[in-house]
């Protein structure tokens, strides 16, 4: 039998860690100066002398020896100076003097960090790609390890598959820039093997013009993530969590510090196809409004259970958070310090397809802003569209909403909506596309929202720019008046609140707002009063007071003697 002297790709470095093209390894019998003949084939039929020479990339060709042979290796640079000597290089037995505890394989504890330039010339696209793949192969499961890429400007021309337990990290100082050739992608996870505990860190990816593929893909992954990644010139997506083929096979993906410059239309910083337990921390995306660019693109074709968003946000993207999936999406949490700024088509835009349902969403203390005086694209800042056959329930939204060209928050569609809590909002006036047309909060759903709560919110317009502070076009059976309490509303054209045909003030819990005097008539329509209490003048007999939705309260003082029949 025969064995390969090197086993894995063997690259020669000088004392400073630089490649040593033209360097040599001389092979001797262990413990002697007797040259040992090596062979270029496993059958040991073609001799190749005892000296092995590195190629222009510092790599050595395969060389074979008899299985029983024990050898000494002498490493020399291209000038013939000795760099190192390794006696008994292929003998790990006690007899070789290493002791019983010496490892017989290269394990992670002994591996330390590997550097890509040890594996070849990084100056060419093929050389860089081959070197990275060879470095990853040396850390194959079950060993794992950390692979480092030095500062420099490189090109990736083929897909890279980062496997289980492998961390790929750029330099501590300087910038590692990887230019993505058309069609090339960096996969955290192999196409056929589940990958866990793999990380990608401290790298700048530059997209290829016209290439709509994502740069980095988390495919078949669990407990994997990325830290301190930067993306520029993205014409597709920066990061995909899951894939269209394997939407549910990415779980517990963590992004911590990702900055994306979107370059073309219909691009996204992060697209989530499915899975759950994802944590997206400090993801920032900068785009060009009007190009349908999105920071968080929830395009799930498999169910999602759990996304947590912390910090970060957008600037000049059409959408901040966009859900347009065809499968259920539950347990979404965005906490304070999340900002969606200057989003032309919606800081939060929800428009699922198929029969998708959503529940248990919390956007707490967020900053959401439209484009202010910019013209061209007019949309609500928060836009929830739930079509027939779909459902949306248990949504809590609080924080600052400003600069809307239309409504601050708008619900519409023929689907089922319930348990919507909009308490603690501050909706500030924007340069709306038309005065007296859009309300601060508008429920324009076909059947109304069951259990809608709007309490303790500040909704402000100027010069009658708001149609209403809160507008409920069709009051649902569960839309209770007492859920609409103690809001501070100003700048409305007609009334603070429109509630399924009746108007009222925002201060129902504090006595309400006085209406302008109403003259008595056969039908005295209190439903159309512009406040909650006031005087009814005159002495005309009244046979009807109009029709209000259930739960409306009016307090009338009759200033003259009249009959109510």
């Amino acid at each position: 039998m025969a064995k390969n002297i090197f086993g894995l790709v063997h690259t020669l470095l000088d004392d400073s860690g630089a490649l040593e093209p033209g360097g040599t390894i001389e092979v001797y019998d262990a413990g002697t100066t007797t040259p040992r003949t090596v062979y270029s084939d496993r059958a040991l039929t073609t001799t190749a002398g005892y000296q092995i020479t590195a190629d222009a990339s510092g790599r050595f060709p395969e060389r074979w020896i008899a299985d029983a042979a024990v050898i000494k290796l002498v490493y020399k640079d291209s000038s013939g100076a000795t760099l190192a000597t390794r006696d008994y290089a292929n003998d790990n037995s006690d007899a070789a003097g290493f002791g019983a505890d010496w490892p017989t394989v290269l394990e992670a504890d002994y591996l330390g960090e590997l550097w890509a330039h040890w594996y070849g010339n990084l100056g060419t696209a093929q050389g860089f790609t081959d070197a990275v793949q060879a470095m990853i192969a040396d850390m194959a499961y079950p060993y794992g390890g950390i692979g480092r890429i030095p500062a420099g400007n490189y090109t990736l021309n083929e897909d890279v598959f980062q496997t289980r337990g492998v961390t790929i990290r750029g330099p501590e100082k300087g910038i590692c820039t990887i230019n993505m050739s058309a069609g090339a992608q960096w996969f955290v996870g192999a196409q056929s093997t589940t990958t866990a505990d793999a990380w990608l860190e401290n790298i700048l990816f530059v997209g290829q013009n016209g290439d709509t593929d994502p740069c980095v893909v988390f495919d078949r992954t669990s407990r994997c993530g990325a830290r301190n990644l930067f993306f520029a010139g993205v014409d597709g997506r920066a990061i995909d969590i899951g894939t269209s083929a394997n939407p549910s096979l990415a779980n517990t993906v963590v992004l911590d510090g990702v900055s994306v410059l979107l370059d073309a239309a219909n691009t996204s910083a992060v697209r989530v196809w499915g899975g759950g337990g994802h944590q997206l921390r400090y993801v920032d995306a900068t785009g060009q409004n009007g190009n349908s660019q999105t920071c968080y693109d929830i395009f799930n074709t498999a169910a999602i259970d759990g996304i947590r968003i912390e910090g970060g946000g957008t600037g000049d993207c059409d959408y901040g958070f966009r859900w347009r999936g065809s499968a259920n999406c539950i347990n979404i949490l965005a906490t304070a310090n999340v900002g969606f700024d200057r989003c032309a088509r919606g800081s939060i835009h929800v428009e699922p397809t198929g029969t998708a349902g959503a529940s248990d969403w919390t956007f707490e203390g967020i900053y959401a802003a439209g484009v202010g005086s910019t013209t061209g694209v007019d949309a609500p800042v928060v836009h929830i569209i739930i079509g027939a056959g779909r459902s949306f329930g248990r949504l809590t939204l609080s924080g600052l909403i400003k600069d809307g060209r239309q409504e601050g928050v708008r619900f519409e569609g023929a689907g089922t909506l319930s348990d919507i809590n909009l308490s603690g909002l501050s909706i500030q006036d924007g340069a709306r596309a038309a005065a007296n047309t859009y309300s601060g909060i508008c429920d324009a759903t076909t059947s109304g929202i069951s259990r809608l709560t709007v309490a303790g919110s500040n909704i402000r317009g100027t010069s009658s720019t708001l149609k209403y502070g809160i507008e409920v076009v069709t009051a649902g059976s569960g839309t209770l008046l007492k859920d609409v309490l103690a809001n501070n509303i100003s700048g409305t054209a007609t009334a603070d609140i429109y509630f399924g045909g009746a108007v009222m003030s925002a201060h129902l819990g504090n006595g309400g707002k006085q209406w302008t005097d109403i003259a008595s008539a056969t039908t005295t329509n209190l439903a159309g009063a512009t406040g909650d209490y006031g005087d009814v003048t005159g002495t005309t007999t009244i046979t009807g007071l109009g029709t209000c939705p259930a739960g409306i309260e009016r307090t009338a003082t009759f200033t003259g003697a009249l009959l109510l029949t």
Side-chain angles (χ1 to χ4, degrees):
M1 296 179 63
K3 57 187 174 185
N4 193 319
I5 293 178
F6 305 127
L8 301 171
V9 174
H10 214 62
T11 304
L12 184 62
L13 306 177
D14 64 16
D15 290 337
S16 66
L19 293 172
E20 187 61 45
T24 61
I25 295 178
E26 295 176 354
V27 185
Y28 300 91
D29 289 336
T32 75
T33 57
T34 304
R36 161 66 64 168
T37 299
V38 298
Y39 298 83
S40 60
D41 62 316
R42 187 170 185 172
L44 307 182
T45 58
T46 304
T47 60
Y50 75 99
Q51 190 178 71
I52 310 168
T53 303
D55 64 15
S57 297
R59 296 176 182 169
F60 290 101
E62 287 189 332
R63 290 295 182 262
W64 300 81
I65 55 176
D67 194 50
V70 180
I71 57 175
K72 175 174 71 176
L73 300 179
V74 178
Y75 294 79
K76 295 185 177 182
D77 64 19
S78 57
S79 68
T82 299
L83 297 172
T85 299
R86 297 289 180 264
D87 209 352
Y88 296 91
N90 64 334
D91 186 357
N92 296 326
S93 66
D94 290 348
F98 293 103
D101 294 331
W102 189 262
T104 57
V105 294
L106 196 60
E107 297 185 34
D109 288 346
Y110 302 91
L111 192 60
E113 293 184 349
L114 303 180
W115 284 86
H117 63 276
W118 296 355
Y119 292 82
N121 180 7
L122 307 186
T124 66
Q126 194 61 55
F128 172 75
T129 305
D130 289 347
V132 170
Q133 285 286 44
M135 179 173 65
I136 291 172
D138 268 5
M139 296 182 284
Y141 180 79
Y143 307 116
I146 298 174
R148 302 295 298 271
I149 303 176
N153 196 323
Y154 312 109
T155 299
L156 187 73
N157 68 346
E158 296 176 2
D159 291 344
V160 163
F161 297 96
Q162 184 178 334
T163 53
R164 185 174 183 179
V166 173
T167 293
I168 299 297
R169 183 179 295 165
E172 300 297 334
K173 296 182 180 180
I175 301 174
C176 169
T177 301
I178 299 178
N179 299 278
M180 308 297 288
S181 297
Q185 296 173 272
W186 191 295
F187 287 86
V188 181
Q191 289 179 319
S192 59
T193 304
T194 299
T195 294
D197 305 308
W199 286 83
L200 188 59
E201 303 174 0
N202 302 344
I203 295 173
L204 166 62
F205 290 91
V206 178
Q208 173 77 19
N209 285 337
D211 185 5
T212 58
D213 290 327
C215 295
V216 174
V217 181
F218 289 89
D219 182 22
R220 298 174 180 264
T221 56
S222 178
R223 304 189 310 276
C224 295
R227 297 186 185 97
N228 301 328
L229 293 190
F230 303 87
F231 297 84
V234 176
D235 281 9
R237 277 107 56 199
I239 296 174
D240 271 16
I241 298 177
T243 64
S244 58
N246 302 310
S248 62
L249 297 183
N251 292 282
T252 322
V253 172
V254 177
L255 304 182
D256 192 356
V258 174
S259 181
V260 181
L261 178 61
L262 298 171
D263 193 47
N266 302 307
T267 53
S268 305
V270 178
R271 174 175 286 185
V272 182
W273 291 90
H278 307 310
Q279 297 188 49
L280 313 179
R281 299 195 292 253
Y282 301 101
V283 175
D284 293 293
T286 301
Q288 304 161 357
N289 265 320
N291 284 327
S292 294
Q293 296 164 327
T294 305
C295 182
Y296 298 106
D297 184 10
I298 314 303
F299 195 68
N300 60 309
T301 55
I304 289 176
D305 186 353
I307 296 177
R308 182 183 178 92
I309 300 172
E310 300 177 42
T314 65
D316 295 317
C317 288
D318 275 10
Y319 303 99
F321 180 96
R322 186 183 188 189
W323 178 42
R324 48 180 175 154
S326 59
N328 291 345
C329 187
I330 65 174
N331 293 325
I332 308 299
L333 173 63
T335 60
N337 301 320
V338 175
F340 302 122
D341 194 19
R342 302 187 306 276
C343 295
R345 287 184 167 90
S347 292
I348 300 172
H349 186 93
V350 172
E351 192 173 4
T353 61
T355 57
S359 66
D360 301 298
W361 286 29
T362 300
F363 286 78
E364 183 178 64
I366 68 165
Y367 174 89
V371 292
S373 61
T374 303
T375 59
V377 179
D378 298 328
V381 179
V382 177
H383 200 182
I384 312 292
I385 305 170
I386 305 298
R390 303 172 196 126
S391 63
F392 194 95
R394 294 193 296 277
L395 165 69
T396 298
L397 175 65
S398 67
L400 174 62
I401 295 176
K402 61 177 291 187
D403 294 337
R405 297 283 296 164
Q406 294 185 357
E407 294 91 349
V409 182
R410 179 180 174 87
F411 300 89
E412 63 181 271
T416 302
L417 290 94
S418 61
D419 296 306
I420 307 298
N421 186 346
L422 306 182
S423 299
L425 279 176
S426 179
I427 299 179
Q428 298 182 5
D429 192 32
R432 289 181 169 79
N436 191 22
T437 302
Y438 305 107
S439 300
I441 297 171
C442 180
D443 169 16
T445 56
T446 302
S447 302
I449 298 173
S450 297
R451 295 178 297 280
L452 169 66
T453 301
V454 185
S457 290
N458 179 28
I459 303 173
R460 186 182 70 198
T462 57
S463 304
S464 301
T465 53
L466 288 173
K467 183 180 181 181
Y468 303 103
I470 303 169
E471 180 181 8
V472 179
V473 176
T474 302
S477 60
T479 309
L480 301 178
L481 176 62
K482 291 184 178 180
D483 289 336
V484 186
L485 294 174
N487 297 287
N488 181 18
I489 298 175
S490 63
T492 57
T494 306
D496 290 349
I497 298 172
Y498 177 90
F499 190 82
V503 295
M504 65 200 75
S505 80
H507 304 281
L508 300 176
N510 299 312
K513 177 180 179 182
Q514 185 174 3
W515 65 63
T516 304
D517 288 355
I518 300 173
S520 61
T522 303
T523 299
T524 301
N525 185 15
L526 296 186
T530 58
D532 309 296
Y533 70 93
D535 292 342
V536 176
T537 62
T539 59
T540 303
T541 298
I542 298 175
T543 61
L545 297 174
T547 302
C548 288
I552 291 291
E553 296 180 2
R554 294 286 194 249
T555 301
T557 300
F558 298 96
T559 61
L562 54 76
L563 293 176
L564 296 176
T565 62

